[in-house]
Amino acid sequence: MSDKMNKNRVFNFSAGPSILPLNVLEDVQGELVCYKESGQSVMEMSHRSKEFDKIIKEAESDLRELMNIPENYKVMFIQGGGTLQFSMVALNFMYKNHKADYVITGSWAKKAMKEAARYGDVKAVASSEEDVFTYIPKVDKSMVREDADYLYICYNNTIYGTHYNYIPDVDIPIIADMSSCILSEEIDVSRFGAIIAGAQKNIGPAGVTIAIVREDLIGHAHPMTPVYLDYKTHSENDSLYNTPPCFAIYVAGLVFKDLVAKGGLSAKQKANEEKASKLYNYLDSSKLFSCPVAKEDRSIMNVVFVTGDKELDKKFIEAAKSHGLINLGGHRSIGGMRASIYNAMPEEGVDRLIAFMQEFEKANA
Ligand SMILES: *Cc1c(COP(=O)(O)O)cnc(C)c1O
């Protein structure tokens, strides 16, 4: 029965929650009812059991190995999504001068800054809003306030399809939202004060959020901070202060193991770059479709494109769906199309998308 169901799977280009590796889903299926020798499902298991202890510890160590996370960084599994991190970042890191600088590259960065404005003095030091967020501004030391507690960036802009191709050279900690690009490429974690990422884009099911935080930035939270929102709570208790999202952590752990087994992030990055460049090359040669994003700032995870005609965009999204290529509509705030080609999207999915776009282009020339 499961094989038959698996044959009905489509290519899912959703921005999140999004595609997961089929072999991981099948592994989950295999041990869903009875996890190894435990006689129970991970969903039914105490978060204090020895089985779950092994699951969460291995998830952390595999993530550390994959991202080469230095020892002076804590890894935490938290609930509340990327959105709750916007508050946690401000409550925890705005502690010296109650000032923080933000680079506005889209809706998520804007939301993060708005949240931080509740707790201190925030400044948008650069923005690409006047160009509909089609590029990443170049930020350097001279633009950032010397006494700001941190510089906040959204490293990959899920909605607009842009991505930093550099890490700003500044003397204050950089806090980066990597929700939609974590594990897609090799990253020098030591250049960041903290990295935050919701799991449901490129890691696993919704429900768990990952925070990787340099130790010296932990322990200074605003006195009004709820216990749950203090990184110290999670770091001191190895993410087990209260019940964590056990099942989501378990699936994320399987995704980490799968990545390790397949050669880690250098191999993944290479595959992702190949997939993305195939699609961008086609977009740049197409007479019907185009990508509005500046070439040097294009995301290899979220590929945004348009025909220039809203009705035709709609027709394309519908037609693609009937060919098993689903969720190609752009974010509800900007329309157009977006193909999210996360780690788990096989090259075949991209090839099938391009072939369908070529067909559609011919038919609508
Ligand atoms: C999806 C997303 C968020 C919000 O995540 P939630 O888990 O829905 O709160 C934040 N930042 C980025 C870059 C995202 O892609």
Side-chain angles (χ1 to χ4, degrees):
M1 180 182 161
S2 63
D3 281 354
K4 206 167 132 202
M5 274 159 57
N6 293 350
K7 278 202 201 85
N8 292 336
R9 280 177 62 83
V10 291
F11 289 106
N12 179 8
F13 294 90
S14 168
S18 37
I19 187 171
L20 286 169
L22 181 57
N23 58 307
V24 167
L25 293 176
E26 286 168 343
D27 288 347
V28 171
Q29 186 176 39
E31 50 192 25
L32 186 71
V33 173
C34 200
Y35 178 74
K36 300 198 193 298
E37 308 303 311
S38 75
Q40 47 190 310
S41 170
V42 176
M43 282 186 268
E44 304 169 302
M45 195 178 273
S46 166
H47 60 296
R48 310 274 176 211
S49 63
K50 68 173 188 328
E51 287 88 357
F52 188 73
D53 189 61
K54 189 160 184 271
I55 289 172
I56 194 169
K57 289 227 167 82
E58 285 186 13
E60 175 173 343
S61 66
D62 288 335
L63 182 63
R64 283 186 175 277
E65 178 185 337
L66 280 170
M67 293 182 72
N68 198 12
I69 299 173
E71 268 176 34
N72 63 325
Y73 283 73
K74 294 284 189 189
V75 171
M76 290 162 261
F77 299 103
I78 305 172
Q79 307 208 38
T83 302
L84 191 59
Q85 290 304 304
F86 301 161
S87 334
M88 284 183 74
V89 161
L91 284 163
N92 282 267
F93 302 144
M94 233 191 216
Y95 64 89
K96 283 184 187 148
N97 301 311
H98 307 289
K99 283 186 186 177
D101 287 352
Y102 280 71
V103 182
I104 303 304
T105 50
S107 319
W108 296 120
K110 258 188 168 175
K111 282 188 174 158
M113 186 172 84
K114 198 171 165 208
E115 196 63 32
R118 298 159 63 92
Y119 307 108
D121 165 10
V122 297
K123 183 179 174 192
V125 293
S127 168
S128 49
E129 186 160 18
E130 80 285 1
D131 283 313
V132 208
F133 299 121
T134 48
Y135 72 99
I136 299 286
K138 294 276 172 286
V139 176
D140 63 47
K141 267 180 215 167
S142 70
M143 300 158 76
V144 171
R145 293 180 294 183
E146 265 171 34
D147 59 347
D149 290 329
Y150 60 83
L151 175 70
Y152 184 100
I153 62 175
C154 182
Y155 206 67
N156 185 76
N157 294 276
T158 326
I159 298 173
Y160 297 93
T162 60
H163 173 269
Y164 279 76
N165 58 23
Y166 76 104
I167 301 172
D169 176 22
V170 293
D171 298 324
I172 55 176
I174 297 175
I175 313 297
D177 177 357
M178 295 197 186
S179 291
S180 50
C181 63
I182 190 165
L183 301 181
S184 68
E185 61 184 327
E186 292 184 290
I187 284 283
D188 181 356
V189 175
S190 72
R191 299 281 309 273
F192 299 89
I195 292 170
I196 55 166
Q200 73 274 20
K201 309 284 164 64
N202 208 24
I203 294 181
V208 63
T209 306
I210 287 165
I212 302 165
V213 183
R214 215 174 64 205
E215 270 169 0
D216 61 287
L217 296 174
I218 300 175
H220 316 283
H222 187 285
M224 286 285 281
T225 305
V227 172
Y228 190 85
L229 303 193
D230 189 337
Y231 288 118
K232 192 165 169 233
T233 303
H234 301 280
S235 69
E236 279 184 345
N237 293 283
D238 297 325
S239 303
L240 291 168
Y241 173 75
N242 69 335
T243 316
C246 301
F247 192 76
I249 292 170
Y250 153 70
V251 181
L254 292 179
V255 171
F256 299 156
K257 282 199 190 306
D258 188 52
L259 283 170
V260 171
K262 289 178 179 155
L265 297 196
S266 64
K268 209 15 119 178
Q269 176 170 356
K270 195 163 164 272
N272 285 334
E273 283 169 354
E274 276 168 21
K275 283 187 290 178
S277 70
K278 267 189 180 177
L279 188 46
Y280 284 122
N281 284 342
Y282 166 65
L283 284 169
D284 289 339
S285 70
S286 169
K287 290 196 173 66
L288 178 64
F289 298 102
S290 63
C291 170
V293 177
K295 276 192 180 163
E296 66 276 18
D297 297 328
R298 288 175 174 179
S299 168
I300 59 170
M301 294 282 97
N302 311 100
V303 179
V304 166
F305 56 98
V306 293
T307 63
D309 173 344
K310 285 198 171 77
E311 286 309 309
L312 202 54
D313 286 354
K314 247 190 228 157
K315 187 177 161 193
F316 172 77
I317 294 160
E318 278 310 306
K321 193 172 160 190
S322 62
H323 281 73
L325 307 164
I326 74 158
N327 287 323
L328 283 163
H331 189 266
R332 56 196 155 86
S333 61
I334 59 166
M337 277 79 75
R338 170 177 53 178
S340 294
I341 49 174
Y342 293 121
N343 280 355
M345 176 59 68
E347 189 165 3
E348 190 198 342
V350 175
D351 291 342
R352 290 267 297 273
L353 173 63
I354 295 170
F356 178 69
M357 289 169 78
Q358 285 167 332
E359 215 176 277
F360 187 88
E361 178 168 356
K362 239 182 242 158
N364 291 278

